[in-house]
Amino acid sequence: MLARSLPAPGEPLSVAQALAVGSALVAANARPGLVPQWFREGWDVLDLLAAGMAGGQLPESEERFTALRDAWLDRVRTDPFWTAVTDMLELLVQISHDLREPVDDPVVLMALIAGLVDVPSCMSPIATRLRPDPLYRDRPGPGQGGIGTAVVREAVALRPGIRILTSDGELVSLDARATETLRELADDREQMLGRPLEPGEAVFGEDEVEGFDGWSQSLMEQLGISPAIRHASKTTGFMPPGRAGLPNQHHQDEWEEAVEDYLREHPAEAASFDAEEEADKAASMLLLVSIQTAATSTKARTAILRQLREEPGGDLAQIIIRMVPAALQALGRAALLDALHPYAQGVDGVTDMARIGRALLWLERQVTSEHDGYTAEEAQQAAAMAPEFYCVLAAAQDPALT
């Protein structure tokens, strides 16, 4: 059936057909003695795709194959053909999630090949000029790792923060702010232990984890967060995610199941549970945690400010916009400006206090006029000032930060 579905020799393949050709190389008893063991036992879907696009002709070494594969991926990443590759990756990750099997599991591969029939970009013939360059079969290249690594690299680049499950375990991509924070925590842990961390060693001790759990539960109670949310946090180990949800769908499913279980067992709580209100409370909590985490770390504060500039319409910016008027009411503009100047200058090099002052005056007008919300124009103006507003909130949270 596969043979009949393929084009004549020399004719261009589609992504679906190339993947089928590559898959035949690792099928039981396929080409005995001709397919290297390193390929049969370590492939991922992009390895199979590259091998199929190359006509099933494998270099003799893993290093030469990764050079061919990575040079080809680099070349086609800027071509419209790349849409077919990303469509394939999207479907692969979805099937892996639905089946709860690794992306390099044969069951997932077979489901992917079957599913690509319904993806137009993956069924369209690909120009012969876009095949991997056969010259790479004859010379070694740098490569970006061995086989079984390309899918993880490309899928994480496509959907930052997503969990990619492989036969070797789970890989999670962190955003720049989380990466910087984790790196500093690891450095602190190494200094405390007086030695480098071992591979896979935790950056927190058990006492620190227990202390953080207690502190986060106490903070949730202070903010009036629902018992259902507190239960889910304690059960899953995740902080309340807010509107954006958790970075990967598996964890989000686990979170939602924990909340639903609690509400099902506590009908009185379920009757008054307001998901929108809880999302706002969770966002406020995450902002407070973010500010406190950054209190002793200039790098962490800088990473937060960078995120606010890159995502002025993001969840963090939006909750900041809603919280600043309350800080103004509580402390007053003069007190905030006094605390803000050295803090902002030390964190981000901000010296234009006139700009910050205008933003605070504008927010004051929102407070005194008792506006219930913002117009679209006002929301844009607020979002543009999100980094400065973050500094205001940090100073309001603890003026000693200056």
Side-chain angles (χ1 to χ4, degrees), residues 337 340-341 344-345 348-359 385 388:
L337 284 172
L340 172 61
H341 190 189
Q345 189 172 11
D348 200 45
V350 175
T351 56
D352 185 3
M353 293 304 293
R355 183 169 181 251
I356 297 172
R358 284 195 299 272
M385 296 300 299
E388 283 76 9

Side-chain angles (χ1 to χ4, degrees), residues 307-318 321 383-384 386:
Q307 177 186 349
L308 290 172
R309 288 196 182 87
E310 292 172 353
E311 303 174 12
D315 290 343
L316 183 58
Q318 295 304 315
I321 292 165

Side-chain angles (χ1 to χ4, degrees), residues 285-296:
M285 177 181 176
L286 291 176
L287 178 59
L288 291 174
V289 171
S290 172
I291 289 173
Q292 293 195 20
T293 300
T296 58

Side-chain angles (χ1 to χ4, degrees), residues 12-19 45-46 48-54 69 71-89 116 119-132:
L13 297 170
S14 68
V15 164
Q17 291 167 336
L19 184 58
V45 170
L46 280 178
L48 300 181
L49 179 62
M53 281 281 180
R69 178 203 64 199
W72 175 63
L73 288 172
D74 288 342
R75 183 158 55 93
V76 301
R77 201 174 281 112
T78 57
D79 191 277
F81 161 72
W82 188 244
T83 300
V85 178
T86 58
D87 287 347
M88 181 194 72
L89 289 172
L116 290 180
V119 182
S121 64
C122 296
M123 296 299 292
S124 302
I126 304 303
T128 302
R129 64 179 176 80
L130 292 177
R131 290 186 181 184

